[in-house]
Amino acid sequence: MKKLKVGVLGATGMVGQRYIALLENHPWFSVTYLAASPRSAGKKYFEAVLGRWQMTTPIPNSVKNIEVYDANKVEAAIGKVDFVFSAVELDKELTRELEMKYARNNIPVVSNCSAHRGTEDVPMLIPEINHSHLEIIPIQQENRGLKKGFVVVKPNCSVQSYITPMFALEQKGYKISRAIISTMQATSGAGHPGVPSLDLLDNIIPYIGGEEEKSEVEPQKILGSVQNGKIIKDTSIKISAHCNRVPVVDGHTACVSLEFADQKNKPSIEEIKKIWKEFSSIPQELDLPSAPKQPIIYNEDQDRPQPRKDRDNDKGMSVTVGRLRECNVFDIRFVGLSHNTIRGAAGGGILNAELLHAKGFLWFESIIKLFKYYSCMDYKESIAKLLAKETKFDKDKIIELLEVPPQGLGDYAFPCFILAKELKKNPLEISKEISSKIKEDFLEKVDAKGPYVNFFISKGDLSTSVLTNIFTGKLINSTEKEKVMVEYSSPNTNKPLHLGHLRNNILGLSISNLLEAKGQK
Ligand code: NAP
């Protein structure tokens, strides 16, 4: 496969250097363009980072001599890249405008900066959690008149340490109502040179500007859903965060206490560990090059996770969790840890780009990878499997019972009468219970309507699935080879065509093409 040409904006900084190190020998992307502040512009990369290269591996030979451009001069990147990673340290308003300028010039931007995290039509991605938010990209392009360019961002560098384990529980039906989070954030999170050593050594600084707000608000967008062309936040979850800067080089740690919304249905400690250990998502299914094999690693040792010992787990891309126990105030507490400049910054950005590539947003050829996933999608079967898991009812029986409801009530409906008899419960109660528990990316929503559970399939998912099946020839798949005669008007040399003929020409040609695609002659 031909590699995509990629640029790094802010290539000389803490995150930019991490990008350079991680992208060396990347199977899909090759660094062809580097940019930073006007101070570094015009220098060779090795000159621009002289005396401040922070990685433990040497500067890759492939980038050493590349000239660094001024990131503010977008024109310089045109024609040199297929997309860029953005890790510039600039005023928010300037960053917002700069990133959109790249997008307007047909250069997609995968950003680490916070500037666009609050923008309604910009997805903030953790691929294991909200990969479905990619469906906002065509809307963003339409809203802003963008052709090929767009902006996606990743969240704050500490968020994944706690939101990934929280999401894994929510996905299994254990909705979280409140959380208290205390983070201990590494110095590399402040960029280079960062906090002066005399301020930080032998010390803890209980304040990181803007960080607590980000830690509280960003999860609501990540856990939200795309509705009517917007990302609607999940505001049902309330988070209170304390953010501290600690004298650790890399690795953000979070001590978390959680309360479950349904106090009658709380998971046991053992069940939670099992959910975390088994958690897997689209990056793993698509086998993306940077995806960790196990997104959440549970460490049973009583004094883990620890930054120095656990931040590099699975190439620095896993979240390591430990010390799960009951909480005297809320329901449970635990410690989460992840590498802030890998999973929380450059590695997370690269995983976002890999997801975009696999989903065909960066290069159409890569849609073939996606085909593998979607061409196996049978919605009725998938819904029946989800229902079988929730109800312990036979899947094949559920398939027989699934109905197509009247217009406006969804794509499939499951009547709960049969369960009412078995469970000796009101079917209205059962439908409410089931609909609150089922949450899947291919489902836009699951609604209880009287005794029915109504399933609405995500339009983005459905259209990708239909197109996939068309392109892979699975939708029209016939062994019929008979000859068929289709009679319709076509241009006639003896008689001029008039407008009325056009309809018949188009209909006839379409029928003829469809039959030919089916294998008929
Ligand atoms: P950093 O070490 O201070 O690097 C900043 C980069 O921005 C450098 O390449 C710098 O170029 C460039 N820059 C500075 N002023 C500029 C200007 N006026 N125009 C264009 N480029 C300019 O910061 P960092 O820690 O790498 O963070 C970069 C971005 O990623 C920030 O937005 C930060 O919030 C975000 N982020 C950081 C982390 C983390 O853990 N560090 C995690 C997630 C997100 P010069 O070298 O030429 O000055």
Side-chain angles (χ1 to χ4, degrees), residues 189-205:
H192 186 262
V195 190
S197 57
L198 270 183
D199 287 338
L200 195 63
L201 288 175
D202 186 28
N203 208 6
I204 285 175
I205 299 172

Side-chain angles (χ1 to χ4, degrees), residues 125-135 167 171 222-226 279-285 355 359 373-374 377 379 382-383 386 437-446 455-462 464:
L125 296 172
I126 294 185
E128 280 88 350
I129 300 179
N130 60 348
H131 46 91
S132 62
H133 288 194
L134 289 184
E135 68 183 78
F167 170 73
Q171 198 187 30
I222 297 164
L223 296 175
S225 52
V226 177
F279 177 69
S280 177
S281 184
I282 284 282
Q284 288 68 40
E285 270 174 50
L355 178 72
K359 294 245 172 192
Y373 166 69
Y374 274 110
M377 198 76 177
Y379 289 114
S382 304
I383 289 171
L386 291 173
K437 282 188 184 162
I438 294 181
K439 199 176 172 199
E440 270 297 322
D441 280 323
F442 71 89
L443 293 169
E444 202 168 270
K445 71 177 168 172
V446 183
F455 295 87
F456 294 74
I457 291 167
S458 146
K459 305 286 175 294
D461 234 76
L462 184 63
T464 316

Side-chain angles (χ1 to χ4, degrees), residues 32-269:
T32 56
Y33 183 80
L34 301 174
S37 79
R39 293 179 291 277
S40 302
K43 294 181 183 165
K44 296 210 165 136
Y45 186 65
F46 80 90
E47 293 167 341
V49 292
L50 203 63
R52 54 180 179 140
W53 178 253
Q54 293 297 311
M55 302 297 108
T56 50
T57 48
I59 304 173
N61 283 332
S62 53
V63 296
K64 249 183 186 166
N65 290 311
I66 294 185
E67 183 184 339
V68 179
Y69 286 84
D70 177 355
N72 303 285
K73 300 206 166 127
V74 179
E75 312 72 52
I78 297 171
K80 295 192 181 82
V81 291
D82 292 303
F83 74 98
V84 291
F85 291 109
S86 167
V88 288
E89 184 64 63
L90 261 182
D91 164 82
K92 263 196 186 177
E93 195 48 53
L94 289 176
T95 310
R96 262 196 287 273
E97 182 41 36
L98 185 66
E99 291 183 342
M100 277 302 164
K101 197 166 171 196
Y102 276 90
R104 280 197 296 278
N105 280 284
N106 296 322
I107 300 175
V109 179
V110 178
S111 178
N112 285 73
C113 307
S114 60
H116 273 298
R117 288 187 197 147
T119 310
E120 255 184 1
D121 56 2
V122 170
M124 178 159 58
L125 296 172
I126 294 185
E128 280 88 350
I129 300 179
N130 60 348
H131 46 91
S132 62
H133 288 194
L134 289 184
E135 68 183 78
I136 200 86
I137 291 176
I139 297 163
Q140 182 194 122
Q141 290 174 318
E142 203 179 309
N143 288 348
R144 296 161 188 273
L146 305 172
K147 284 187 216 100
K148 191 176 156 244
F150 54 82
V151 177
V152 304
V153 296
K154 68 164 298 308
N156 180 258
C157 47
S158 68
V159 167
Q160 68 283 340
S161 302
Y162 52 91
I163 199 69
T164 319
M166 283 161 72
F167 170 73
L169 299 177
E170 291 221 330
Q171 198 187 30
K172 291 288 171 190
Y174 299 114
K175 186 104 193 69
I176 292 153
S177 48
R178 294 193 292 172
I180 294 184
I181 291 154
S182 299
T183 64
M184 282 148 282
Q185 303 190 196
T187 42
S188 60
H192 186 262
V195 190
S197 57
L198 270 183
D199 287 338
L200 195 63
L201 288 175
D202 186 28
N203 208 6
I204 285 175
I205 299 172
Y207 173 74
I208 308 176
E211 204 76 354
E212 289 174 352
E213 294 74 11
K214 291 179 199 164
S215 310
E216 291 166 355
V217 171
E218 291 181 10
Q220 297 183 335
K221 182 170 180 182
I222 297 164
L223 296 175
S225 52
V226 177
Q227 289 173 33
N228 303 322
K230 285 187 182 138
I231 299 171
I232 306 294
K233 288 181 184 168
D234 178 356
T235 50
S236 64
I237 186 162
K238 297 272 174 295
I239 298 177
S240 173
H242 307 256
C243 297
N244 306 285
R245 186 71 73 198
V246 295
V248 162
V249 176
D250 286 318
H252 287 351
T253 306
C255 293
V256 184
S257 281
L258 296 183
E259 178 190 64
F260 292 107
D262 184 353
Q263 287 294 306
K264 288 193 199 113
N265 175 36
K266 296 190 280 189
S268 68
I269 296 288

